[in-house]
Amino acid sequence: MSIPWMPREVSHRLFERPHELENVKTTYLLSTAAVAGYLSREDGKRPAWFNRARLMPVSALTPDLQEHLANACHVICMKVRQEVTNEPAARGMVAPGRPTTCWQSGLLCARVIWRALFAAAAAKAPASKKAVPALFMASCEGLKQASQKLLTKVWREVQVQFTSKENKYRNMKSRPPWSALEAHQYEVFGKICGYGVCDPSHVAPSSAGTKPASNLQDVLEEVLALRFAVDWLTLSMEDAQEFLDQATKRAYKRPITKAKTAPDPVSQQLAALKEKTVDSFAMMWTDDAELRGVASLAIRLMDGLEGPSAMAFAATFTGQMLLAMWKGVAPMLGHHAAMGIARIAESHAAMGMLPPPQLPEPDASTSRTAVFDKVAASYDRCSKDCEELVNALPRGVLGSIIKVQATFRGYVFRARYFSKARAVAAYCKAVSWPELHPQLEGEPVDVPSEKDKKKKTKKTGLAASTKVDAQTLNQTISEFQPNVSKYLGGEPPKPGTAGGMGSTMQMPSSPSGRMGGTMGSTMGSTMRMTQGEEPGRNRAWPLPTADHRACADLFALYMYNLYRRKELTSMWSTLCQAYERGMDSYAELLNRNPALKPMLESIAAQLKRGSVVGYDKAFIAKHKKGEDGPGKEKVKPVDGDMFKTKQPGGTSRMGDTRTGMAETGMPGAMGTTAGAAATMGMSMSSMKLTIGEEKQDDGSQITGEYLTNYLKEMDGDDSQFKDISASVVPLCTGTSPARLQPAESILKSEELGQTGGGGGSGTGTPTKARPKLDVPFCISRCKPIWLPIKAHRFAAYRAKVLQLLPQRVLQQYIDFEKQGQYAACIKLLESATPGSLNVLSPATMVSGKPLLVETVLQLIVGYSGLCLKNQQGSVAVKLITQVLDNMSLSLRDLHPGHRTVLEAYLFDTALSVCYYMPADVTLSDRSESFFQQASERYLRLGHVNRYCKCCLRAAAVLHNQNNRSEAEYYTQQALNKLSDAPVSSLLAVCYHNLAVHTIVQHRVADSVAHVRSYVALLRQLPKLGNSWMQLLDNTQWLILKAQELWPSFQQQAGIRDSQIIDR
């Protein structure tokens, strides 16, 4: 495999000189051992890989070596597992330069262990010791490129095996065989990269593993392992490059002295140990003393290998200890894979595009594989649009593309590989490796002395070249002629100067500079070839005159213009087809209904008149005449009433939920313009808005004028007149706390309940004793899910009310709000500019302002919610009670349909107050009446989802009042209404609450059936919010645990029938 940063002369000598082949063999053998360690990381779960690598088997080792190897692997595995499972930040302050995440800790362990193993194993080979750092970088580069190739192939295989991209029967639960993954592994490591692994289709594994097939978890762990390998190998090369830079500096700065032979063996050993600590590549420094001890243990184990087969044994040891390292990393990979699966929904599999598993934020920003999924997607076949654009390229553009690609490859080399290439070249020159010819035995090493260095400095004048003559500096600058390449816009060199430059760049050859001589001859020959070429030959036509960046910009602009032309053509074609289709449909309509021809002639006349006198005079003048009255301050825009119909009987249906509008009320936000609201009102006035069923005609129809005024006042928001969506539970956004295990969550909430003020002991100290897990405990912890009612546009209504107050009253109103005296705030509304808006005193309230009355009522509903939130339940009870008592007079000016909507909303709000204030006996006694009033109006309006939510709220109130059978009845009524509805979170909540209502009545079988129903529904829904899913998980765990403990409880309590209802 090619190594882009390896100097050409170094790679040439490594592969062409026989005396350097031992270095290549050592690198190949240790790289194969690293591949075997990676492939064998899951041998117990899937078919074994280690016996299919061309390494000495572990069974060939002696028993004592096997024992030592097993102990060392155990130590490595435990150390790595400790680092990747314990968050560094949880153990205290993280020192600068230390790993801050589990991912970084695992990378540090892998770097230290892999470097120590490689250096210790290479010492057992007849290879040059000074070549080990460069060979280590070459091995890491080859393994990194192989991991990147395999990562691309595996991710593309994920999109095929676990989505319906190629097979409609495949989904996230598919179980592809292990052979699909093994085929890609052998293709990359065995065929493309040439490592010593056997074909899995021909060589059987030593064990088949415990899992017959893979799943999405296994494949995502493979993807994360490859991402980990790429990051680990990249950082290992950076560490080796740093070592090369330091070794080169030491080689040039260290004084050259003749080696003195120590007189005694002890002194020789001390000198060797000192040299090893200074220039040791095997011992990578780290602040973790335990990690240094693990590396020392691996090195000492390698040092104990002796004999002619020591290198083969060392390769097997390396593979096994790297396998132990992968075993330690496995828990972290499994955790990230599970988190990635949690982010995947069934819709991703249906679309054929699974999202990649994400790393935590600090690791994702520094990862070398952050966009691996986009790289993998680039290998797919290009789109049809791209092929058409490429085929439409004119003549001469292909040459520009080639030049742009060449420039980009040069940029990639400078950005990624230049520093490594410079470090390796400088190191190889400093240590005189690799040699052109093998060194003969007894031949002295040609080392330049200090005298030679001084002569060279004096001859070249390099020492004095740093001094600048201030007198001739300006003249030197003014006479300087830069040499700019013709490809960068410079002029071609003159014939007289080209040869001089070529001769200047010729470097003299010397015994100590063999590589320099070779490079000089190569460059000289290149220059001569350039000079000998005739102008105009071998050039792409036409030859660009600008630089490469301008060519790239020109090409990008050309491609973008082609894309714009294609898009405009497509838009024009679509518009023409739509116009023709519309005209055909309208012609057919005119043929079927001749009565439309007069209207068509009228429109044609208006358009013709508008083209002559102006459209403003043709259309707007008539509408301005109809706008009379002193209260009209807003002027409608030009096209506000262009298509207005004058039929007062036009109504529209309110029960349609398919055209619902989202709530957009924001404090201080700009709403829609009056013209947009008028246009919306006119278009909706032609619809048939009936309250209840169409066959009923009880006068509760909202006329077009009333609806138009309402939409103007509410900025086009008519969601009050429509049913809500059945998606009552919010979806997961990724910002909520993570879900806990149900047992842990229940125990945590129980401890919080004991430490709170509502605990039975009355003390604030936590209790260490765990609660007894039995059936009564499980039943007591089961609670129905409460679906709160939301205040409708509270901020917008409050801002509108504040604008109606005089300046002298406004500050007093705000002060009362801050003090929580909301009744006094409503009292101050008697001083509003339009008149008294105190709905709690309807006798003095202004008449003819129905929309302002609704504004105040919505404001009171919001204030009630604030009271409940601020622990002011009595104030909320007083407010809502006064509103209900005076509601019949307060709503006298409202349209019957509008009044029905508000009455249902207020009764539903009162039912919610009953849930939060169970201690108020007077209000609790009226809860059933509130439900009857609200539900009757919801049914009359045809709002099925609002009715179901009201039933669930009433059931929750009855559950708190120990009326369990009535609560179950009302919940069943909501479920019956949703029998024909599609799958939704409201349906899941119904089944959940039914499970709770039946388990408290000791009907375990019914409760378990309801649990299974809502669990099956949750699997069909998108992922809901974690806080809501935690409640559903806890209920499922409690009911299943109660079912498990039920026989013993039934025997203790003396219950004969498990279906008895305990009231």
Side-chain angles (χ1 to χ4, degrees), residues 833-846:
T833 304
S836 176
L837 295 177
N838 184 6
V839 296
L840 303 182
S841 178
T844 60
M845 194 172 59
V846 66

Side-chain angles (χ1 to χ4, degrees), residues 572-763:
W572 175 253
S573 176
T574 304
L575 289 175
C576 291
Q577 293 176 6
Y579 182 76
E580 292 176 358
R581 190 182 303 111
M583 295 303 296
D584 293 340
S585 302
Y586 200 74
E588 182 67 22
L589 184 62
L590 289 177
N591 293 333
R592 295 184 179 182
N593 189 0
L596 295 177
K597 290 184 178 180
M599 181 186 69
L600 179 62
E601 295 174 356
S602 175
I603 295 175
Q606 289 184 2
L607 292 174
K608 185 175 181 180
R609 181 172 178 267
S611 63
V612 176
V613 301
Y615 291 100
D616 53 346
K617 297 180 180 179
F619 296 102
I620 306 304
K622 294 183 179 180
H623 299 310
K624 285 184 177 180
K625 295 178 181 179
E627 294 179 358
D628 49 355
K632 301 285 183 176
E633 296 182 0
K634 296 183 180 180
V635 180
K636 296 183 180 180
V638 175
D639 57 347
D641 292 335
M642 183 174 181
F643 299 100
K644 180 178 179 181
T645 58
K646 298 299 182 178
Q647 300 177 1
T651 56
S652 59
R653 186 176 303 173
M654 290 175 52
D656 190 3
T657 62
R658 292 171 295 180
T659 57
M661 299 170 57
E663 296 181 357
T664 56
M666 294 291 290
M670 295 297 293
T672 56
T673 61
T679 305
M680 188 184 307
M682 294 306 102
S683 61
M684 294 189 65
S685 63
S686 61
M687 300 167 59
K688 194 172 183 182
L689 277 176
T690 56
I691 306 300
E693 300 181 359
E694 293 187 27
K695 62 182 181 180
Q696 297 178 356
D697 189 10
D698 53 357
S700 59
Q701 294 182 355
I702 299 181
T703 61
E705 188 66 26
Y706 189 91
L707 182 60
T708 301
N709 295 333
Y710 178 83
L711 291 175
K712 288 180 182 179
E713 193 71 21
M714 299 299 141
D715 297 331
D717 184 7
D718 62 341
S719 58
Q720 281 283 89
F721 301 124
K722 297 178 181 179
D723 197 6
I724 60 174
S725 172
S727 301
V728 295
V729 177
L731 299 179
C732 180
T733 59
T735 58
S736 57
R739 290 161 60 185
L740 304 175
Q741 293 294 331
E744 182 181 354
S745 174
I746 294 170
L747 181 60
K748 184 177 180 180
S749 60
E750 188 71 16
E751 291 176 354
L752 292 177
Q754 291 179 358
T755 58
S761 60
T763 61

Side-chain angles (χ1 to χ4, degrees), residues 994-1037:
L994 271 179
V996 173
H997 296 325
T998 51
I999 192 65
V1000 297
Q1001 300 178 60
H1002 291 184
R1003 290 158 52 194
V1004 181
D1006 293 343
S1007 181
V1008 171
H1010 294 318
V1011 167
R1012 292 173 180 170
S1013 298
Y1014 80 73
V1015 170
L1017 288 173
L1018 292 176
R1019 292 173 181 171
Q1020 305 177 45
L1021 293 171
K1023 187 178 180 183
L1024 304 181
N1026 286 348
S1027 58
W1028 294 80
M1029 289 298 297
Q1030 189 70 63
L1031 297 175
L1032 296 166
D1033 292 345
N1034 293 352
T1035 303
Q1036 179 187 4
W1037 188 88

Side-chain angles (χ1 to χ4, degrees), residues 425-440:
Y427 175 78
C428 292
K429 183 178 180 181
V431 300
S432 300
W433 176 88
E435 298 179 348
L436 186 61
H437 301 286
Q439 184 178 356
L440 300 179

